[in-house]
Amino acid sequence: MSTLVEKTVIMDEQAIRRGLIRIAHEIIENNKGIKDLILVGIRTRGVPLAERLAAEIKRIEGAELPVGILDITLYRDDLSTLSYQPIVHETQIPVDINGKTIVLIDDVLYTGRTVRAALDAIIDIGRPKVIQLAVLVDRGHRELPIRADYVGKNVPTSSKEVVGVQLMPVDDADKVVIKEFAE
């Protein structure tokens, strides 16, 4: 049985902070402000990223944005392979999303399947005007035609590698690492 071994740190705490500051500025610029904007973090690590982006946007614009939490468990196309009893958490969207601009936030964009599930979940809640995607890391290897609007870091990876994001308060550190299976 092979185990995952940390190979290299590709983003430390400061690099994550800088990436989120840049994404916050890009979100504001591309949307010509923050009117009718809602940040929605995809569980698990998309949530602290959404909260950090909201804090940074508040620092820049002086106004708070609503932050939602999206659980996509039941929308996954691999649900039957996960477990017999998947753990479903509550989706919390604090405002009406109809006609609004949603920025979905996740830690890593890989195959695109998580984002597809998130799009299905959002559409079941309402009909936003626009849905945008922000990710901390885009590692390539897409299986679906999905592209992020905002990217903290593009990291070309091999299919043997795993990108691991660790974020406070979920984990004990703020860093992004590449891991590889040891023989």
Side-chain angles (χ1 to χ4, degrees), residues 44-163:
T44 294
R45 287 171 187 81
V47 175
L49 290 172
E51 291 166 348
R52 292 179 192 190
L53 281 169
E56 187 59 32
I57 289 170
K58 181 180 180 184
R59 189 188 64 75
I60 298 164
E61 290 289 298
E64 287 195 32
L65 282 179
V67 177
I69 299 170
L70 190 64
D71 182 16
I72 61 159
T73 304
L74 295 178
Y75 291 87
R76 294 179 60 106
D77 60 6
D78 61 353
L79 188 60
S80 62
T81 64
L82 292 179
S83 73
Y84 291 109
Q85 296 295 321
I87 298 169
V88 179
H89 299 281
E90 186 179 7
T91 288
Q92 301 168 1
I93 309 291
V95 294
D96 180 15
I97 67 168
N98 290 301
K100 304 291 186 353
T101 297
I102 304 287
V103 181
L104 280 176
I105 300 157
D106 203 8
D107 55 352
V108 178
L109 178 56
Y110 182 32
T111 62
R113 293 184 180 278
T114 296
V115 175
R116 186 217 43 90
L119 292 170
D120 288 347
I122 286 289
I123 297 304
D124 277 355
I125 295 168
R127 191 174 193 292
K129 178 179 146 193
V130 176
I131 301 174
Q132 301 171 348
L133 176 62
V135 296
L136 185 60
V137 176
D138 183 344
R139 64 168 291 191
H141 303 283
R142 219 74 78 239
E143 294 174 3
L144 299 172
I146 289 174
R147 178 187 59 81
D149 300 283
Y150 313 103
V151 178
K153 186 173 184 77
N154 286 292
V155 180
T157 60
S158 82
S159 55
K160 296 176 185 172
E161 294 173 319
V162 173
V163 175

Side-chain angles (χ1 to χ4, degrees), residues 19-33:
L20 291 176
I21 289 169
R22 187 178 68 257
I23 290 171
H25 281 280
E26 290 174 1
I27 288 171
I28 295 164
E29 184 178 331
N30 287 351
N31 290 291
K32 298 175 178 52

